[in-house]
Amino acid sequence: MCGVSRYKVQHDELRDDATTKNFRLAKVSWYLPIIPRFKRLFTNGHDAKNLTWHVDDRKSDGLLRHPANSP
């Protein structure tokens, strides 16, 4: 987003000399814990089998069949 302010600007503070120390960020990224998500993914047996194919069913004959086979 080129040319867009990083901060939410108050309507009464639209002047250029306003300091940004009191402004709120326009976009905030939130941290989402990964462990509960993995628990939900691996709860279903069918999905867990599809998610672990590279450990269980991968062929190790030296041929590059998937990017997971590369060094």
Side-chain angles (χ1 to χ4, degrees):
M1 296 183 356
C2 297
V4 178
S5 176
R6 293 181 53 189
Y7 302 99
K8 292 181 181 179
V9 181
Q10 306 282 333
H11 292 294
D12 56 346
E13 297 181 3
L14 292 176
R15 61 186 187 275
D16 291 335
D17 61 342
T19 60
T20 60
K21 67 179 182 178
N22 293 330
F23 290 167
R24 293 181 302 173
L25 289 173
K27 183 184 272 190
V28 179
S29 100
W30 297 95
Y31 169 74
L32 299 173
I34 193 92
I35 300 298
R37 185 171 181 168
F38 279 142
K39 285 182 181 178
R40 285 192 305 271
L41 279 172
F42 284 96
T43 300
N44 184 348
H46 178 70
D47 291 340
K49 184 175 186 271
N50 288 334
L51 291 169
T52 59
W53 71 268
H54 60 282
V55 174
D56 301 332
D57 297 330
R58 186 168 55 181
K59 297 177 183 174
S60 59
D61 57 0
L63 298 176
L64 183 64
R65 301 173 188 275
H66 190 271
N69 295 337
S70 67

